[in-house]
């Protein structure tokens, strides 16, 4: 009987242990199932609160007639001695500068763009042996600003008559483009806003705050193409036309 009571006692204890293990434990505040619910809510809030951006490009263009011309011209001479090539170049260059000044170009608007001395050695194409004395080339090129466009044609013609045998290019520019650039920026901003509003409306959204604004391009003068016969032309006709000043901006908005 003693043994039977012992077996019953052990069986009761094991039963109690099994019942205790299967019984649900009371969770402390903020633990268990409520914690999982909070995590899902936080994840939903983070996902729902993430800002969506809209980036557009805006373009603004203003046009105006240029009021200045930049002419690149110069003198190229050659001789079998460097001293002779330099002397002739200096004489012709001095005459060219005097002619430009007579046609209203200020001394401050004439600047040396490049000065080069090149040596050419005539050689037999078959043997490579030198077949004559070296030839020296001296090239002096100036950048000249004409602030009166009516003087460009006569001024270039006078420079050529005085000894300039290189007229490489003419570029037109606006002396004070700040007002036109600011207007182009304003137009670019309006264009960007109009594009963004159209896209947002089509997507069923509204524009929020501006996140970033970046200016992409800056205006540059538009040069004329070089003409090979330009230096030989008399009374050079000049057509300035108009210059376009274009500004591009990139703007990013938040969407609501």
């Amino acid at each position: 009987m003693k043994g039977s009571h012992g077996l019953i006692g052990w069986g009761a204890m094991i039963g109690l242990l099994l019942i205790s293990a299967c019984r649900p434990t009371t969770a402390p505040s903020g633990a268990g199932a409520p914690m999982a619910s909070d995590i899902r809510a936080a994840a939903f809030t983070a996902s729902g609160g993430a800002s969506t951006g809209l980036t557009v490009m805006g373009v603004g263009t203003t046009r105006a007639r240029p009021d200045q011309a930049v002419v690149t011209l110069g003198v190229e001479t050659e001789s079998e001695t460097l001293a002779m090539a330099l002397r002739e170049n200096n004489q012709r260059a001095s005459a060219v500068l005097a002619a430009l000044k007579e046609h209203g170009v200020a001394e401050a608007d004439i600047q040396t763009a490049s000065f080069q001395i090149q040596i050419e050695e005539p050689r037999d194409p078959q043997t490579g042996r030198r077949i004559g004395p070296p030839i020296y080339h001296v090239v002096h090129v100036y950048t000249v600003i004409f602030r009166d466009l009516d003087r460009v044609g006569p001024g270039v013609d006078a420079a050529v008559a005085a000894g300039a045998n290189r007229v490489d290019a003419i570029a037109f520019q606006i002396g004070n483009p700040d007002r036109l650039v600011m207007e182009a920026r304003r137009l670019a901003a309006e264009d960007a806003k109009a594009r963004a509003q159209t896209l947002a409306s089509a997507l069923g959204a509204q524009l929020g705050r501006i996140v970033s604004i970046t200016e992409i391009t800056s205006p540059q003068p538009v040069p004329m193409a070089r003409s090979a016969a330009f230096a030989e032309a008399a009374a050079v006709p000049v057509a300035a036309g108009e210059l376009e000043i274009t500004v591009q901006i990139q703007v990013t908005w938040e969407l609501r």
Side-chain angles (χ1 to χ4, degrees):
M1 293 292 293
K2 240 182 191 186
S4 299
H5 288 299
L7 289 175
I8 292 172
W10 281 109
M13 290 179 64
I14 293 172
L16 288 173
L17 289 173
L18 288 174
I19 292 171
S20 299
C22 294
R23 183 181 301 164
T25 304
T26 303
S29 177
M35 180 181 291
S37 176
D38 290 346
I39 291 174
R40 285 194 297 271
F44 176 79
T45 300
S47 176
S51 59
T52 303
L54 173 63
T55 300
V56 299
M57 297 285 293
V59 180
T61 301
T62 54
R63 296 175 177 84
R65 289 186 59 83
D67 53 14
Q68 295 180 5
V70 181
V71 181
T72 305
L73 55 79
V75 177
E76 182 174 357
T77 56
E78 65 178 51
S79 177
E80 292 183 355
T81 67
L82 178 58
M84 291 181 62
L86 281 170
R87 183 164 53 250
E88 182 185 357
N89 195 286
N90 290 339
Q91 291 173 352
R92 293 173 64 172
S94 296
V96 168
L97 296 181
L100 290 170
K101 292 174 184 177
E102 288 177 2
H103 282 75
V105 180
E107 185 173 354
D109 290 333
I110 304 174
Q111 184 178 29
T112 293
S114 64
F115 181 81
Q116 299 178 0
I117 298 176
Q118 301 170 351
I119 304 174
E120 176 187 354
E121 294 185 342
R123 295 183 179 273
D124 187 313
Q126 295 182 349
T127 64
R129 297 180 58 184
R130 195 167 67 180
I131 57 177
I135 300 174
Y136 295 89
H137 297 265
V138 179
V139 182
H140 198 162
V141 178
Y142 296 93
T143 299
V144 183
I145 300 177
F146 287 87
R147 299 185 184 274
D148 183 352
L149 295 185
D150 292 336
R151 295 179 180 268
V152 178
V156 171
D157 183 43
V160 172
N165 54 3
R166 290 185 55 154
V167 181
D168 294 344
I170 294 183
F172 294 103
Q173 64 184 20
I174 297 171
N176 185 16
D178 292 347
R179 178 182 59 82
L180 295 170
V181 172
M182 293 299 292
E183 176 65 11
R185 288 193 179 108
R186 185 186 67 79
L187 293 173
E190 290 183 353
D191 182 49
K193 185 175 182 180
R195 292 170 186 259
Q197 287 176 334
T198 299
L199 289 171
S201 177
L203 296 171
Q206 292 183 343
L207 296 181
R209 69 182 184 90
I210 294 177
V211 177
S212 66
I213 303 174
T214 305
E215 185 170 318
I216 305 299
T217 60
S218 298
Q220 297 292 333
V222 181
M224 287 179 58
R226 175 178 174 176
S227 172
F230 196 33
E232 301 177 2
V236 179
V238 175
E242 286 189 336
L243 287 181
E244 285 190 355
I245 296 179
T246 300
V247 173
Q248 289 185 340
I249 64 172
Q250 178 177 293
V251 186
T252 300
W253 277 269
E254 285 185 352
L255 288 181
R256 296 197 297 253

